[in-house]
Amino acid sequence: MDALKSFFMTAPVEPAEFAQSLWLIIALPLLGAFVCGVFGKRLGRGNVHLIACASVAGAFVLSAIAFWCVNHAPQGGLPVSMENPFSASALRYSIGYDYGIWFAAGDFRVNLGLMVDHLSGIMLLVITGVGFLIHLYSTSYMEHDESGWRYFAYLNLFVAAMLTLVLADNLVLLFVGWEGVGLASYLLIGFWYTDAAKAWAGRKAFVTNRIGDFAFLIASFLLVLLVGAFTGQANPANYTSVGVDPSAAQTRYAEGLAFKGPLSFMGLEIMANALPVTAESNPAAALSLQSPIAQGPLEGRTFGGVLTVTLLLFLLGAAGKSAQFPLYVWLPDAMAGPTPVSALIHAATMVTAGVYLFCRMSYLLVLSPTAMLTVAIIGAVTALLAALIAFAQDDIKKVLAYSTVSQLGLMFMGVGTGIFWAAVLHLVTHAFFKACLFLGAGSVMHGNGDETDIKKLGGLRREMKTTWWTFAVATLAITGIFPLSGFFSKDALLHGVHHNHLVGFEGAANALYALGLLIAVCTAFYMTRVYLLTFEGERSKEARVAHAHESSGYMTVPLVLLAILSIVALFYALPLMPGRNGVRQPVMENFLGPVFASAERLAARGGQVKLDHSLPSIVDYLVAWVTALVGGGLAAFAYLKYFPSRAGMPAPVWARSVRRFTQNKFYVDEVYEAVVIRPVKGLGTLVFKMVEAFIDRVLVHGTAWVTNFTGITLRYLQTGDAQVYAAVMALALLGGAVYAIIQVLN
């Protein structure tokens, strides 16, 4: 056992040397995108598949080495660490490399820096690992598409953008990846652009995300101003919690700002640590969260107030990428693209960006209970709304899409209540079972003539055995059935939501926990419904093909691997690691401890957020398990016994009304159409008319008309007759002379 432990804690390469090669993790899929996109049409289908898959596989190997390096802690030696330009203390379990200045404007500077710690290391493995399986699956799923080269180019681009997002050591580079996944999702969702509905779905995703991205940009600008104000007003006493020598710590922070710029994550973490919550908590400090900003555009506002507004703007940005209320409407339509794209977007990449962003800046979030509560409420509302809509959807991909929105809402609830490690754990387990479910749905469609209506399927258990059992495992995992990974990750998340407390909002914990249990019941219900209608019972008489066929090995092997991962990922939730006061910690909580250390320290010091570290009891586990069983049992009763027994009997009017209301997604899209889209369209039309009437007709055409009229009029005077010209001159001279005489006489 010790030999195995030593093996995994000794990296095969020197971490500091490998850190210089981190750019290759992004460059490989980016190169694949370039080659497939530019030369793919001439390379042939097989070569395109090889290049696209090999580039992501290479990125996975490099990511695995990077992950190995950040765990490097040889026996008798110190754990791996990297220098922190903002502090004398090194960053443990992290590697990174700064490739120098990227751009600068005045005092503002941004470096091109990459960093891997335990959080980004996990994300790297999920993105490249699940991404590779989806690439492999796509080689068979897209084999009949004429534009396969274009598809794989976009897919590679998507992976490269997401890797940029998680490897960035500052907000500006993260935003490049943030925009990159937005662009790639637009290209992939509207991949079949000759179909107007699919093209519109891509455009809807693009426009909706731009709203959130605009908020992200404003939040970043506010952070720049906040860092500038903090630097100008803080005194050495503010840095007492940052270094042994506060004056030296202040100087080091200023040097870090000059070297890395104000939006480096390392610098923001130091600023958060140097900001006392109240003046009483550090009387010698020049400023606290309640201190007003002395000068600049934010003059008169408090540091805490600006920070809360900044975090709420980041929440709007995260709501766009992670499909939270009110910007979730694009994600269900994202299924317009090829099914593997849905798996990639919904499981491993884009939708996790918002959760990752808040986990990365957890030290800022715990300074604002108001922002935390808002994040948790948005998550709860989104999760419940999406779960209720999923009840009545008959399209298998739509049900899974709303399920993604709902599960992301649960993660936001976890982030908003400070149980960051459980949110990340659920993100990881969700990536496995949701990718398995979407790829399973693709396999079902592949074998059933592209049928997506679950009421026109049925009985596939006997005809698609591999797809059946992998889909069943993933369904059990997402519904939270013991002992699959989803049971542990969801329970850890709900336990944290229940026991963490935001000071001033203590009552929220019980309400959020109750909502979480209700959402778990809904999840178990609609997922069991999908499974039963698709795989159990008799084959539908409306089925497109009489007998379904199982998919090829290229499609079923990824399904099998993802189903296995949906089970074994439970390891991260087991309390196997030594923790506080002799109490064992879950593996994931212990593993992410260094990443969230600042957030926990700030929460304890500020006293505004009380983080709980207890383990779920047997009663908690039983409640979670019974919740899942109740939801699944109700669905089984309804669709195996109740509804079949009422076949041919009309449903009550109220039931049809409720179903129609839910099936139409609570008419949220229609509300957006009436409240937002039409007024904006109307305003746009009005502005267009004004521009057309005044600028085009008056200023442009009017000027041309006046010039033309003047020319036409004057041409009658340009006759070319010298006698006429002489007469005109004589008359002019005579007129001038008469005028001069009159003036003299006066």
Side-chain angles (χ1 to χ4, degrees), residues 489-611:
S489 61
K490 195 180 294 182
D491 188 58
L493 205 151
L494 293 179
H495 180 76
V497 168
H498 193 197
H499 290 85
N500 285 355
H501 294 286
L502 308 176
V503 174
F505 308 105
E506 284 77 4
N510 290 332
L512 289 170
Y513 178 64
L515 275 177
L517 292 179
L518 180 60
I519 293 161
V521 172
C522 296
T523 304
F525 185 93
Y526 65 71
M527 285 309 304
T528 305
R529 171 177 177 264
V530 166
Y531 167 76
L532 292 174
L533 292 179
T534 305
F535 292 98
E536 301 295 341
E538 297 299 322
R539 189 151 181 76
S540 171
K541 295 176 182 175
E542 300 177 75
R544 290 190 185 183
V545 294
H547 299 285
H549 65 84
E550 184 57 282
S551 303
S552 71
Y554 289 103
M555 293 172 67
T556 53
V557 168
L559 290 177
V560 172
L561 292 175
L562 287 167
I564 294 172
L565 287 170
S566 301
I567 300 170
V568 301
L570 71 90
F571 168 77
Y572 290 106
L574 300 180
L576 302 176
M577 304 302 289
R580 299 171 180 80
N581 305 319
V583 178
R584 294 247 164 206
Q585 278 185 319
V587 175
M588 185 64 90
E589 183 180 9
N590 183 275
F591 187 70
L592 293 175
V595 179
F596 300 128
S598 277
E600 296 207 1
R601 194 165 49 246
L602 287 166
R605 199 171 68 211
Q608 292 186 303
V609 182
K610 295 180 179 176
L611 301 181

Side-chain angles (χ1 to χ4, degrees), residues 96-359:
Y97 193 77
D98 193 301
Y99 297 94
I101 189 167
W102 177 14
F103 66 86
D107 296 334
F108 183 75
R109 169 177 174 151
V110 177
N111 280 24
L112 189 62
L114 302 179
M115 186 181 78
V116 181
D117 59 5
H118 282 177
L119 177 60
S120 50
I122 288 174
M123 294 296 295
L124 286 179
L125 291 181
V126 170
I127 296 164
T128 54
V130 177
F132 171 72
L133 293 177
I134 292 170
H135 273 69
L136 181 63
Y137 178 98
S138 299
T139 58
S140 178
Y141 190 85
M142 298 293 289
E143 64 181 344
H144 300 302
D145 197 288
E146 292 180 356
S147 302
W149 56 275
R150 188 164 56 86
Y151 169 81
F152 280 101
Y154 294 164
L155 220 56
N156 272 190
L157 179 65
F158 204 133
V159 172
M162 194 64 197
L163 291 172
T164 305
L165 193 154
V166 299
L167 277 170
D169 76 348
N170 61 73
L171 267 173
V172 181
L173 187 57
L174 183 147
F175 189 69
V176 173
W178 190 273
E179 286 298 295
V181 292
L183 170 66
S185 68
Y186 163 70
L187 295 172
L188 283 168
I189 294 169
F191 178 72
W192 289 311
Y193 58 86
T194 52
D195 183 329
K198 292 179 171 59
W200 270 104
R203 192 182 302 182
K204 184 177 181 180
F206 189 78
V207 172
T208 308
N209 271 278
R210 296 292 76 72
I211 298 170
D213 295 349
F214 186 58
F216 187 111
L217 277 178
I218 297 173
S220 300
F221 294 146
L222 283 178
L223 264 187
V224 172
L225 296 174
L226 198 68
V227 171
F230 167 78
T231 310
Q233 290 182 235
N235 67 359
N238 273 102
Y239 295 86
T240 50
S241 57
V242 176
V244 178
D245 182 349
S247 297
Q250 186 178 25
T251 304
R252 178 78 173 190
Y253 178 71
E255 291 172 352
L257 276 182
F259 176 58
K260 296 282 288 184
L263 292 180
S264 166
F265 292 123
M266 291 177 276
L268 293 175
E269 186 172 357
I270 295 296
M271 184 186 75
N273 277 283
L275 264 174
V277 173
T278 61
E280 290 76 21
S281 56
N282 186 357
L287 58 89
S288 66
L289 284 175
Q290 279 76 44
S291 303
I293 294 173
Q295 57 184 2
L298 302 176
E299 183 180 351
R301 274 73 177 178
T302 64
F303 281 86
V306 174
L307 183 62
T308 297
V309 171
T310 303
L311 291 169
L312 292 178
L313 286 168
F314 275 125
L315 172 60
L316 188 55
K321 279 290 176 290
S322 292
Q324 296 296 289
F325 184 82
L327 300 180
Y328 72 93
V329 290
W330 68 270
L331 191 60
D333 291 338
M335 64 177 191
T339 302
V341 171
S342 305
L344 193 61
I345 292 176
H346 287 248
T349 54
M350 185 170 171
V351 297
T352 62
V355 180
Y356 173 79
L357 176 70
F358 277 119
C359 287

Side-chain angles (χ1 to χ4, degrees), residues 722-738:
Q723 291 180 337
V724 173
Y725 292 161
V728 170
M729 290 174 64
L731 286 173
L733 286 171
L734 180 61
V738 171

Side-chain angles (χ1 to χ4, degrees), residues 48-132:
V48 167
H49 291 172
L50 180 64
I51 292 168
C53 292
S55 62
V56 180
F60 175 73
V61 172
L62 292 174
S63 299
I65 296 174
F67 188 75
W68 206 338
C69 285
V70 295
N71 291 298
H72 182 73
Q75 197 169 12
L78 295 173
V80 66
S81 61
M82 64 175 283
E83 185 183 1
N84 186 346
F86 294 86
S87 169
S89 302
L91 291 173
R92 292 191 308 143
Y93 298 108
S94 303
I95 61 172
Y97 193 77
D98 193 301
Y99 297 94
I101 189 167
W102 177 14
F103 66 86
D107 296 334
F108 183 75
R109 169 177 174 151
V110 177
N111 280 24
L112 189 62
L114 302 179
M115 186 181 78
V116 181
D117 59 5
H118 282 177
L119 177 60
S120 50
I122 288 174
M123 294 296 295
L124 286 179
L125 291 181
V126 170
I127 296 164
T128 54
V130 177
F132 171 72

